[in-house]
Amino acid sequence: MTTRSALVTGITGQDGSYLAELLLEKGYDVHGLVRRSSTETFERIEHLHGRIKLHQADLLDQVSLLNAIRESSPDEIYNLAAQSFVPTSWLQPSLTGEFTAIGVTRMLDAIRVVDPAIRFYQASSSEMFGRVQEVPQSEGTDFYPRSPYAVAKLYGHWITVNYRESYDLFAVSGILFNHESPRRGREFVTRKISESVARIKLGLQDLLELGNIEARRDWGYAKEYVEAMWLMLQNDQPTDYVIGTGLQHSVRQCCEYAFNHVGLDPADFVRTDKKLQRPAEVDTLLADPGKAERELGWRSRTSFEELIALMVEADLESQERATGRRRGDSGSR
């Protein structure tokens, strides 16, 4: 039996690292696409050293993508790379468009040229729903993006549909709602909260400043969401799916879960700052994952409270290793 091969863009990120682990467990040859950088950030895949092969390429450079695909000869490509932080998309809207929108076109066109039989997964986003037109949001809900990031993701989503229908590619989009883990970037609100709570507990930080704490999201565990990505490419026919929990929580509730986990009152430490709010706010997102449950047999298994506890514990352990402080030390709370 021939070993299957997969190429993952964004392999050094949260989703990419979990997906690489999943594919290795399933016996794949795993290849990752990485950008040249003066500072290498391979922390999330360090434990996979020697088990995956990395190729230097960039979504801004078509030739590098063609070369990476030819070198890796993948059966499947998972495009997880993007400029994925919404606030940064307001500061760098054009660059966000180049990576997150046009980069998808470059990848699809490279597949069309090198090997149209390659199956392609595009990481779409619930941010495309923006100012939501209905609650909950399903595959049939109209989009209304509210940030340069969301607009770019919507382009990537529709160009994937276009190439599927125009060139008969097996190309699908997973419209993933917020998904978190201890590997989440520190700039994202759940990780900002979990790490700040850990530092406050250890006496290393005094306050946690946040923007709109009433914003509500459908949050799940990233390690489970990459399973849905893989399942989408095992289908007989290419189709798109909404992936989420079907449950919703506010940023305020996230703070409550995190601080309660370490026995502290969030009211003593959380402050809001309007400067941290978005120019155009997305107030509520809630998935209808029914299609994924029916057709893929996928559903979220980890509750949001369990997820936040997992993240806080990971950040406590990380901060203890980094600083030498312990939860019972004098000065800790």
Side-chain angles (χ1 to χ4, degrees), residues 205-216:
Q205 184 174 321
D206 295 322
L207 296 173
L208 168 58
E209 293 187 339
L210 297 168
N212 179 13
I213 64 173
E214 302 306 333
R216 301 180 66 82

Side-chain angles (χ1 to χ4, degrees), residues 15 21 50 60 64 71 73 107 118 145 163 171 234 244 293 306:
D15 293 6
E21 290 174 349
L60 301 184
S64 70
E71 290 170 5
S73 298
M107 182 61 77
I118 295 170
Y163 268 66
Q234 314 315 307
E293 292 179 7
E306 291 170 337

Side-chain angles (χ1 to χ4, degrees), residues 58 121 148 161 168 172 182 212 214 218 266 292 321:
D58 197 308
Y121 172 86
V161 172
D168 197 29
V172 304
N212 179 13
E214 302 306 333
D218 183 324
R321 287 195 303 271

Side-chain angles (χ1 to χ4, degrees), residues 153-201:
K153 277 293 186 183
L154 186 54
Y155 177 101
H157 178 82
W158 279 117
I159 201 68
T160 300
V161 172
N162 187 269
Y163 268 66
R164 177 170 73 215
E165 296 178 349
S166 300
Y167 299 112
D168 197 29
L169 299 183
F170 194 108
V172 304
S173 289
I175 307 173
L176 271 59
F177 281 63
N178 295 66
H179 46 290
E180 320 298 317
S181 77
R183 299 180 190 176
R184 190 58 146 152
R186 290 174 171 82
E187 68 272 25
F188 292 89
V189 68
T190 51
R191 182 69 193 286
K192 180 179 180 180
I193 290 170
S194 66
E195 186 173 64
S196 294
V197 167
R199 289 180 58 79
I200 289 169
K201 179 63 177 178

Side-chain angles (χ1 to χ4, degrees), residues 156-313:
H157 178 82
W158 279 117
I159 201 68
T160 300
V161 172
N162 187 269
Y163 268 66
R164 177 170 73 215
E165 296 178 349
S166 300
Y167 299 112
D168 197 29
L169 299 183
F170 194 108
V172 304
S173 289
I175 307 173
L176 271 59
F177 281 63
N178 295 66
H179 46 290
E180 320 298 317
S181 77
R183 299 180 190 176
R184 190 58 146 152
R186 290 174 171 82
E187 68 272 25
F188 292 89
V189 68
T190 51
R191 182 69 193 286
K192 180 179 180 180
I193 290 170
S194 66
E195 186 173 64
S196 294
V197 167
R199 289 180 58 79
I200 289 169
K201 179 63 177 178
L202 296 175
L204 300 168
Q205 184 174 321
D206 295 322
L207 296 173
L208 168 58
E209 293 187 339
L210 297 168
N212 179 13
I213 64 173
E214 302 306 333
R216 301 180 66 82
R217 295 290 185 270
D218 183 324
W219 274 300
Y221 187 16
K223 188 174 184 179
E224 297 170 356
Y225 282 42
V226 300
E227 298 170 8
M229 298 178 189
W230 178 78
L231 286 167
M232 287 182 216
L233 292 195
Q234 314 315 307
N235 261 348
D236 292 333
Q237 298 295 324
T239 186
D240 306 323
Y241 291 92
V242 161
I243 302 298
T245 70
L247 298 172
Q248 190 181 61
H249 298 83
S250 66
V251 175
R252 181 189 295 276
Q253 286 175 297
C254 180
C255 288
E256 290 170 353
Y257 290 154
F259 278 100
N260 289 345
H261 184 72
V262 296
L264 298 176
D265 186 346
D268 295 333
F269 305 100
V270 176
R271 303 292 182 268
T272 58
D273 185 345
K274 289 187 177 180
K275 290 184 293 186
L276 298 176
Q277 294 185 13
R278 301 179 181 186
E281 188 59 73
V282 174
D283 294 313
T284 182
L285 292 171
L286 177 62
D288 174 1
K291 181 181 175 183
E293 292 179 7
R294 292 189 304 272
E295 298 184 8
L296 299 177
W298 181 92
R299 65 174 59 205
S300 173
R301 303 183 298 275
T302 303
S303 74
F304 185 54
E305 189 168 4
E306 291 170 337
L307 173 59
I308 294 304
L310 179 71
M311 293 175 66
V312 172
E313 279 299 316

Side-chain angles (χ1 to χ4, degrees), residues 1-4 26-27:
M1 180 176 178
T2 304
T3 301
R4 283 194 288 178
K26 293 184 178 297

Side-chain angles (χ1 to χ4, degrees), residues 201-203 316-317 319-333:
K201 179 63 177 178
L202 296 175
L316 278 167
E317 292 172 9
Q319 290 295 318
E320 287 175 332
R321 287 195 303 271
T323 67
R325 298 294 291 268
R326 296 292 180 268
R327 279 165 251 197
D329 290 350
S330 175
S332 63
R333 296 178 171 95

